[in-house]
Amino acid sequence: MSRAFNFSAGPANLPEAVLEQAKAELLDWHGSGMSVMEMSHRGKEFMSIAEQAEADFRSLLNIPNNYKVLFLQGGASSQFAMVPINLLRGSHDNADYFNTGIWSKKAIAEAKKFGKVNLVSDSEVNHFTTISPSSSWQLGDNAAYVHYTPNETINGLEFQTIPDVGDKPLVADMSSTILSRPLDVSKYGLIYAGAQKNIGPAGLTIVIIHEDLAKADLPPMPAMLSYKTHIDAGSMYNTPPTYAWYIAGLVFKWLKDLGGLEVMGQRNQRKAEALYTAIDQSDFYDNPVDPAYRSWMNVPFALKNADLNKTFLAEAKEAGLLTLAGHRSVGGMRASIYNAMPEEGVQALISFMLDFENRKS
Ligand SMILES: *Cc1c(COP(=O)(O)O)cnc(C)c1O
């Protein structure tokens, strides 16, 4: 068996040590005689797995006690609707949204079904390659919250600091950047993330929510769409994605053992800088994103001669470098280099790119 370096944007690669541990525990978890997949979510074995995972996640991100952590299903795409359904209410019929890429647009489209959306800043005019300066942002007066996408997974555009939006609750879709570096959770009202990029397997969605945002009485709504339902039930209103929750817990343990998010952040910065430097120094490859907003996690790049795309991908695969094709909506290439991508993987990609350039230019 040989494991390749997998640059998939999601579902993405997982740390090998985590997969090894899952394999060792697959048939019989800690002498329970059961696989985690076969356990009752309310049994003491799974409860201990769930509690430990939450405790480790809280400690990695230093999550204050007045925030709840939810382990849900439905993906970030469900959060695009749950956020406005739960937070647009009472005197607030509008929310502020940053439009910085394809995922922002999807979140905006869902929010518009439930209220008015005010665009704070719109990067579509520059093809999502930069973010306008804060002096030009147009924040609404009566917005219920301000939503943004810290890292646009498809466009490779990332806020490098937390936007200052005054005292409105800040809501963030962190699907592809959570746990990539330290984060000040106290600056947020709500954070959500699908797990399959930087947390664990697909099927799990984590929500971090300030308790004040889930207090008010809501009009009747489907129980599954209410944050309060899930808070009151400790994420066990219905059957949670137990196996994905368990694997996420192994990933949190792996991150803690490595030294936590400070160490991981330094490592991710080194990986991204090495790859962007290689692209910028070449006349063969190109990344269009403003250097001030380049993503640490998703690095899109184009071959200036697009006729070589197919050959590039085929030869990369041959060299054990997988899933480098860009998103179908933008084309070109994209290397996703989440936490689980080792520095050797990025070095292997850079070496391959240089060699390919030498042979083809
Ligand atoms: C992948 C991704 C999504 C969609 O996630 P699903 O879990 O498939 O719904 C949303 N937002 C961002 C930023 C993403 O990277």
Side-chain angles (χ1 to χ4, degrees), residues 55-123:
D56 287 340
F57 183 67
R58 283 183 171 276
S59 106
L60 281 167
L61 283 167
N62 265 315
I63 300 178
N65 287 334
N66 52 349
Y67 286 76
K68 305 288 185 191
V69 177
L70 304 175
F71 292 79
L72 308 179
Q73 306 193 37
S77 300
S78 293
Q79 295 307 311
F80 294 163
M82 265 178 84
V83 165
I85 287 176
N86 283 265
L87 305 187
L88 273 184
R89 55 169 183 245
S91 57
H92 297 298
D93 63 351
N94 68 94
D96 284 349
Y97 276 73
F98 284 86
N99 183 20
T100 55
I102 289 165
W103 291 116
S104 295
K105 280 184 77 157
K106 290 202 163 184
I108 289 167
E110 282 296 269
K112 280 184 172 164
K113 297 175 184 170
F114 304 100
K116 290 193 215 89
V117 166
N118 166 52
L119 283 190
V120 178
S121 135
D122 190 354
S123 298

Side-chain angles (χ1 to χ4, degrees), residues 154-166:
I154 295 171
N155 308 88
L157 186 69
E158 182 160 27
F159 285 80
Q160 296 301 335
T161 53
I162 301 176
D164 181 358
V165 297

Side-chain angles (χ1 to χ4, degrees), residues 281-317:
Q281 285 176 351
S282 136
D283 294 324
F284 192 83
Y285 304 103
D286 178 55
N287 170 288
V289 178
D290 180 346
Y293 297 103
R294 282 175 168 179
S295 168
W296 287 12
M297 296 280 102
N298 310 97
V299 182
F301 61 93
L303 275 64
K304 289 195 179 156
N305 177 1
D307 291 345
L308 290 170
N309 282 354
K310 276 211 171 87
T311 318
F312 181 91
L313 287 168
E315 290 191 15
K317 189 172 177 191

Side-chain angles (χ1 to χ4, degrees), residues 102 154-155 326-332 334:
I102 289 165
I154 295 171
N155 308 88
H327 190 267
R328 54 191 166 9
S329 63
V330 292
R334 173 176 48 169

Side-chain angles (χ1 to χ4, degrees), residues 74-78 80 103 149 151-153 173 175-176 194 196-197:
S77 300
S78 293
F80 294 163
W103 291 116
T149 311
N151 183 56
E152 285 284 357
T153 320
D173 173 3
S175 294
S176 53
Q196 69 274 20
K197 277 75 184 240

Side-chain angles (χ1 to χ4, degrees), residues 142-196:
N142 191 32
Y145 60 89
V146 184
H147 180 282
Y148 82 119
T149 311
N151 183 56
E152 285 284 357
T153 320
I154 295 171
N155 308 88
L157 186 69
E158 182 160 27
F159 285 80
Q160 296 301 335
T161 53
I162 301 176
D164 181 358
V165 297
D167 52 8
K168 305 259 171 53
L170 184 59
V171 176
D173 173 3
M174 292 217 175
S175 294
S176 53
T177 186
I178 193 159
L179 300 175
S180 68
R181 67 191 93 180
L183 179 72
D184 184 355
V185 171
S186 72
K187 294 271 196 302
Y188 292 87
L190 190 153
I191 292 167
Y192 61 90
Q196 69 274 20

